[in-house]
Amino acid sequence: MLEEIASASARPLDPGSPLTRDTECSGDGPGRAAVDFPVAVILPAGGSGERMGLPTPKQFCTILNRPLISYTIQAFERLSWIGTVVVVVAKENHDLMLNIVREFHHTKVKVVHGGTSRHRSVFNGLQAFSNSTDDSLTPKPKVVIIHDAVRPFVEEDLLLKITLAAKEEGASGAIRPLVSTVIATTLEGYLDHSLERAKYRASEMPQGFLYDIIFQAYQLCSEYDFDFGTECLHLALQYCGTNAKLIEGPPTLWKVTYKRDLAAAEAIIKENLSTSACVITEAAAEAVELAGTLQKNLATQGMVLVGVSSPELFLRLDMHLFESSREMKEKVKLNTTKRSFDTQKTDEITTFMRLASEVKQANVQLYGIQIDHTKVSELWERSAARLADITVALIRDRNPALIGQLLQA
Amino acid sequence: MLEEIASASARPLDPGSPLTRDTECSGDGPGRAAVDFPVAVILPAGGSGERMGLPTPKQFCTILNRPLISYTIQAFERLSWIGTVVVVVAKENHDLMLNIVREFHHTKVKVVHGGTSRHRSVFNGLQAFSNSTDDSLTPKPKVVIIHDAVRPFVEEDLLLKITLAAKEEGASGAIRPLVSTVIATTLEGYLDHSLERAKYRASEMPQGFLYDIIFQAYQLCSEYDFDFGTECLHLALQYCGTNAKLIEGPPTLWKVTYKRDLAAAEAIIKENLSTSACVITEAAAEAVELAGTLQKNLATQGMVLVGVSSPELFLRLDMHLFESSREMKEKVKLNTTKRSFDTQKTDEITTFMRLASEVKQANVQLYGIQIDHTKVSELWERSAARLADITVALIRDRNPALIGQLLQA
């Protein structure tokens, strides 16, 4: 039982893969076979985030205690066919970025300093690779993927298409249909004409390039391009005659731009993390019945019950997991005990709160739910339904302020 | 004290004005003086919401138990200078829409049936007004505002600019800078060219028109325009020679398009609702000290403590409020009592849960927080900080699954 819970729960709750349900997260996905050449990534992350109206640049804003950029890095790092991820940051954020790399155990990241524009930053990133045999430099890849630090939900499927098209055609880019009509304005601020929507697309990220093509484009382009150009694909066309292959991406590609986008990103991450619950019960004999009822109720919410254990098992289990795996971060646990008011003393609550605060150190969120094991089936069903509601709510919200609370179902 | 709480709490928690902090919500804003001619609104709401990947069309998705479209209607209804709001819905949603109008007490809404395209729906909306003297029809307005049902955060300031520009110039529309570069594609799916971002804008809503201009444009336009055109401003230009005045709107204008946008909208609404807490305490003598500490802690989160009362006062207060005002919907209350484990019996919890479930009928969310009134100042400060954390979390999340729970600070 112990092993079953450990293995079943460690994967779907891994915070490093916000799209667990939709994508292949191991390095053994379809990409490994298809990509037999070196691929690197450049993540420009020098933006100041003015549009957010927040003091922190958006790529460093945290969602569930993890900076946005760490989710994005992880989306690339988890793929075995992707090598170095060059993160380009403003000089003042260099130490912050190194701390993130350390804290979230990123292993493929190389941090370099950005320039005064997005293009200068990307070019700095490209220069982190080398044609020479100098061992201190990373050898240049065949294909380089350019992405945004603030688009955390990029899937292997699309990365693969972008990479293979870039290898084949020299350049490739993700596109999306336009959400709004695009209009041209007169100098005086009046409508000049509107564009026919069907002929145009929004250019998104990721984009892929043969390293030699994009490097050459930057070597040839003008200072004006460096300062005011917005589109790498345009440089490849203008300076290397390469027409990029365009590939339609999913809506999840969107860029975290405004403050509200952080809430949207958090909701997506939570929804993908919140797919399983582990129940620990005091009364082993009743656990099976309770688990059955809870399982049925959770299923209607798209969640899975991964295991039931006694409190002693829970403690041993957790100690085991805490020590063996960093995957356990932000795991949510439910403590379901039989409600027993007579014995509910200060001691019990205090003990539970202390336990919760201890396991919190290991990023396990422990909440308690007490349930009356009544023989009146109507009351029991109501309590079981409430148990499921509270369980779902706690797992979805992952609210640190409620850790260690003993709730009543 | 009682009156103070009633008046202070009723306004900022009014769910009908999600932007309470930023906008003028009464009918006595700047618009009343500036607009001395009849203005009506058309809200096309016939969309099927395919892009959401949800079974419910997005305009009918609920946020905090209220359909999105009701927030949008309210954004117009609260302005005294705006008359009829014509909501255009698909025939199969007619009854649903009438129910929403009833349940959320909308008073200016007229529901009409949509056509097979957005333009046909808008034209149907325009035909709800009349040039004739037939009393069964609403007289035509001078200016008509066309908006989207799924853009709930429209502010009076912008509506006023749009309306006055439409009166002056014949047509006007909100614009936003482009978030992505727009590119033209070849038939084979390659990059043709990219547009210079500075010359183009995204055309958003609301748009304003002299009624006669937009009505005439629709009478002259082709079947092709009706079926495939996307831009009302374009019709006014093409068929009436009217160049619309373009006005840059705020980022909150964005359109709820994808499922993630619902989470973003919910976060905005919650943030604007969650600005005040009301504390009820058992121990009146200690209330002042507790309130002072809580107030300081809440202030750091941008929240205001609106009042402190005893439980008896709370009950009388609520009965008073429940009866007098529908503004109380979704109000959140905190019940802060002295923690007393010795007397904590089944009875106390059961009574509290029953009370919570009763006031829930009146859309008051009641949560309990118990606090140890210890003399050890270090412990007291920690508890007070936790009290604030839990208070903020409960108010922000407004989680119905936790109603009636007795938490420990």
Side-chain angles (χ1 to χ4, degrees):
Chain A
M1 173 81 100
L2 190 148
E3 286 312 310
E4 197 175 284
I5 297 173
S7 63
S9 61
R11 271 207 309 149
L13 293 166
D14 167 18
S17 38
L19 288 169
T20 307
R21 273 196 286 185
D22 305 315
T23 58
E24 180 56 54
C25 297
S26 78
D28 306 322
R32 186 65 283 180
V35 183
D36 55 0
F37 48 88
V39 179
V41 178
I42 295 183
L43 279 185
S48 65
E50 294 154 17
R51 276 189 284 198
M52 295 286 267
L54 291 174
T56 309
K58 56 201 167 184
Q59 61 273 25
F60 300 120
C61 289
T62 57
I63 296 179
L64 302 178
N65 292 321
R66 182 174 179 149
L68 189 57
I69 193 169
S70 174
Y71 290 97
T72 312
I73 292 169
Q74 177 69 9
F76 291 101
E77 251 181 6
R78 66 186 171 182
L79 303 176
S80 67
W81 54 274
I82 284 184
T84 309
V85 178
V86 176
V87 179
V88 192
V89 296
K91 211 171 171 179
E92 63 267 30
N93 292 322
H94 188 259
D95 290 348
L96 172 62
M97 193 62 228
L98 288 184
N99 284 340
I100 292 171
V101 168
R102 221 178 355 254
E103 185 175 355
F104 296 96
H105 306 268
H106 294 303
T107 53
K108 298 180 177 178
V109 169
K110 182 166 183 166
V111 180
V112 311
H113 289 173
T116 51
S117 71
R118 183 182 157 90
H119 276 312
R120 291 189 195 276
S121 291
V122 173
F123 191 40
N124 284 4
L126 288 171
Q127 287 174 312
F129 301 101
S130 168
N131 281 305
S132 85
T133 52
D134 182 344
D135 280 352
S136 70
L137 292 169
T138 313
K140 67 168 185 170
K142 181 77 180 171
V143 165
V144 63
I145 296 172
I146 301 175
H147 194 61
D148 282 325
V150 291
R151 299 189 198 242
F153 304 110
V154 60
E155 299 172 31
E156 176 168 22
D157 177 49
L158 180 69
L159 288 173
L160 201 53
K161 284 182 191 160
I162 291 286
T163 301
L164 296 175
K167 166 102 180 314
E168 201 67 31
E169 315 273 357
S172 61
I175 52 169
R176 288 281 307 154
L178 296 172
V179 171
S180 307
T181 302
V182 174
I183 55 181
T185 61
T186 66
L187 284 177
E188 297 77 27
Y190 289 85
L191 173 67
D192 188 73
H193 63 275
S194 59
L195 299 184
E196 206 181 315
R197 217 151 129 177
K199 286 191 186 155
Y200 294 89
R201 296 286 181 280
S203 173
E204 308 284 342
M205 293 282 153
Q207 295 176 347
F209 299 90
L210 283 172
Y211 181 88
D212 292 340
I213 295 239
I214 188 68
F215 193 79
Q216 191 188 359
Y218 275 116
Q219 282 186 310
L220 296 173
C221 80
S222 67
E223 292 296 306
Y224 183 88
D225 287 325
F226 263 126
D227 287 329
F228 303 105
T230 52
E231 188 54 86
C232 297
L233 298 182
H234 175 79
L235 298 183
L237 176 61
Q238 190 175 350
Y239 294 103
C240 304
T242 303
N243 284 74
K245 176 71 181 169
L246 303 174
I247 294 165
E248 179 149 335
T252 43
L253 271 189
W254 110 108
K255 187 174 172 176
V256 173
T257 308
Y258 300 105
K259 198 177 157 195
R260 65 168 184 265
D261 292 322
L262 285 177
E266 179 170 325
I268 292 174
I269 292 169
K270 278 183 177 172
E271 194 175 314
N272 286 298
L273 285 173
S274 307
T275 53
S276 57
C278 173
V279 169
I280 304 102
T281 173
E282 241 175 34
E286 287 149 357
V288 180
E289 184 188 349
L290 183 68
T293 316
L294 186 58
Q295 187 133 37
K296 250 185 287 171
N297 282 316
L298 288 181
T300 65
Q301 308 274 345
M303 288 188 185
V304 174
L305 189 66
V306 295
V308 178
S309 78
S310 68
E312 298 71 39
L313 202 58
F314 163 68
L315 279 179
R316 273 165 41 211
L317 174 69
D318 278 331
M319 289 314 128
H320 170 73
L321 288 172
F322 295 166
E323 285 156 20
S324 68
S325 170
R326 65 180 186 88
E327 312 282 315
M328 286 294 295
K329 283 204 154 208
E330 294 168 302
K331 193 166 182 318
V332 180
K333 286 240 156 137
L334 271 287
N335 186 31
T336 312
T337 63
K338 204 179 161 196
R339 188 194 285 176
S340 48
F341 288 112
D342 310 330
T343 62
Q344 187 176 327
K345 293 273 151 38
T346 310
D347 276 358
E348 193 185 339
I349 296 186
T350 309
T351 306
F352 186 72
M353 281 183 131
R354 192 175 306 130
L355 175 63
S357 121
E358 273 165 26
V359 299
K360 193 184 163 192
Q361 308 300 318
N363 281 308
V364 171
Q365 302 194 352
L366 182 66
Y367 310 100
I369 307 176
Q370 293 186 306
I371 184 164
D372 247 340
H373 194 258
T374 167
K375 297 271 181 253
V376 186
S377 77
E378 191 189 325
L379 289 179
W380 171 250
E381 274 159 31
R382 201 161 61 196
S383 284
R386 194 149 61 189
L387 172 66
D389 282 352
I390 296 174
T391 305
V392 168
L394 290 172
I395 294 183
R396 286 261 152 87
D397 288 351
R398 320 187 139 241
N399 201 321
L402 299 181
I403 286 176
Q405 295 293 333
L406 214 46
L407 308 170
Q408 313 296 328
Chain B
M1 173 82 96
L2 189 147
E3 286 312 310
E4 199 176 283
I5 298 173
S7 63
S9 61
R11 270 206 309 148
L13 293 166
D14 167 16
S17 38
L19 288 169
T20 308
R21 273 195 285 185
D22 307 315
T23 57
E24 180 58 54
C25 298
S26 77
D28 304 322
R32 184 66 283 178
V35 183
D36 56 0
F37 47 87
V39 179
V41 178
I42 294 184
L43 279 185
S48 64
E50 295 153 17
R51 277 190 283 198
M52 297 284 266
L54 291 175
T56 309
K58 55 200 168 186
Q59 61 274 22
F60 299 120
C61 289
T62 56
I63 296 179
L64 303 178
N65 292 321
R66 184 174 175 147
L68 188 57
I69 193 170
S70 175
Y71 290 98
T72 314
I73 292 169
Q74 178 69 9
F76 291 101
E77 252 181 3
R78 66 188 172 181
L79 304 175
S80 68
W81 53 275
I82 283 182
T84 309
V85 178
V86 176
V87 179
V88 191
V89 296
K91 211 171 173 182
E92 62 267 30
N93 292 321
H94 188 259
D95 290 349
L96 172 62
M97 192 61 227
L98 289 184
N99 284 339
I100 292 170
V101 167
R102 223 179 353 255
E103 186 177 354
F104 296 95
H105 306 269
H106 294 302
T107 53
K108 297 180 177 178
V109 169
K110 183 166 180 167
V111 180
V112 311
H113 289 172
T116 51
S117 71
R118 184 182 156 91
H119 276 313
R120 290 188 197 277
S121 291
V122 173
F123 192 42
N124 284 5
L126 289 170
Q127 287 174 313
F129 302 101
S130 169
N131 282 301
S132 84
T133 51
D134 181 345
D135 281 352
S136 70
L137 294 169
T138 314
K140 68 168 185 170
K142 180 79 180 169
V143 165
V144 63
I145 296 172
I146 301 175
H147 194 61
D148 280 326
V150 292
R151 300 189 196 242
F153 304 110
V154 59
E155 300 171 30
E156 176 167 24
D157 177 49
L158 179 69
L159 287 173
L160 201 53
K161 285 182 190 159
I162 290 286
T163 301
L164 296 175
K167 167 101 180 313
E168 201 66 34
E169 315 274 356
S172 61
I175 53 170
R176 289 279 308 152
L178 295 173
V179 170
S180 308
T181 302
V182 174
I183 56 181
T185 61
T186 66
L187 284 176
E188 297 77 27
Y190 289 86
L191 173 66
D192 189 75
H193 64 276
S194 59
L195 299 185
E196 206 182 314
R197 217 150 130 177
K199 287 191 185 154
Y200 295 87
R201 295 287 181 278
S203 173
E204 308 284 342
M205 293 281 152
Q207 297 177 344
F209 300 89
L210 283 173
Y211 182 88
D212 291 340
I213 294 243
I214 188 68
F215 194 78
Q216 192 190 358
Y218 275 116
Q219 281 186 311
L220 296 173
C221 79
S222 67
E223 291 296 305
Y224 183 87
D225 288 326
F226 263 124
D227 287 328
F228 303 105
T230 53
E231 189 54 88
C232 297
L233 299 182
H234 175 79
L235 298 183
L237 176 61
Q238 188 175 353
Y239 295 102
C240 304
T242 303
N243 283 75
K245 175 73 180 166
L246 303 174
I247 294 164
E248 180 150 333
T252 43
L253 270 190
W254 111 107
K255 187 171 169 177
V256 174
T257 307
Y258 301 106
K259 198 178 157 194
R260 65 168 186 267
D261 292 321
L262 284 177
E266 180 170 321
I268 293 174
I269 292 169
K270 278 183 177 173
E271 193 175 316
N272 286 297
L273 284 173
S274 307
T275 53
S276 56
C278 174
V279 169
I280 304 101
T281 174
E282 241 174 33
E286 287 149 357
V288 180
E289 184 189 348
L290 183 68
T293 316
L294 185 59
Q295 186 132 39
K296 251 185 287 172
N297 282 315
L298 288 182
T300 66
Q301 308 272 346
M303 287 189 187
V304 174
L305 190 66
V306 295
V308 177
S309 78
S310 68
E312 298 71 38
L313 202 58
F314 163 68
L315 280 178
R316 272 167 42 215
L317 175 71
D318 277 331
M319 289 313 129
H320 170 74
L321 288 172
F322 297 166
E323 284 156 21
S324 67
S325 170
R326 66 178 185 88
E327 312 282 315
M328 286 293 295
K329 283 204 154 207
E330 296 169 299
K331 195 169 181 316
V332 180
K333 285 239 156 135
L334 272 286
N335 188 30
T336 312
T337 64
K338 204 179 161 195
R339 189 195 286 179
S340 47
F341 286 112
D342 310 330
T343 62
Q344 186 177 326
K345 294 274 151 38
T346 310
D347 276 359
E348 194 186 338
I349 297 185
T350 309
T351 306
F352 186 71
M353 282 185 132
R354 192 175 307 130
L355 175 63
S357 119
E358 273 166 27
V359 299
K360 194 185 164 194
Q361 308 300 318
N363 280 307
V364 170
Q365 303 194 352
L366 182 66
Y367 309 101
I369 308 176
Q370 293 187 308
I371 185 165
D372 247 340
H373 195 260
T374 167
K375 296 270 181 250
V376 187
S377 78
E378 191 190 324
L379 290 179
W380 171 250
E381 274 159 31
R382 202 162 60 196
S383 285
R386 194 148 60 188
L387 171 66
D389 282 351
I390 297 175
T391 305
V392 168
L394 290 173
I395 294 182
R396 286 261 153 86
D397 289 352
R398 322 186 138 242
N399 201 321
L402 299 180
I403 286 176
Q405 296 294 333
L406 214 47
L407 307 170
Q408 313 297 328

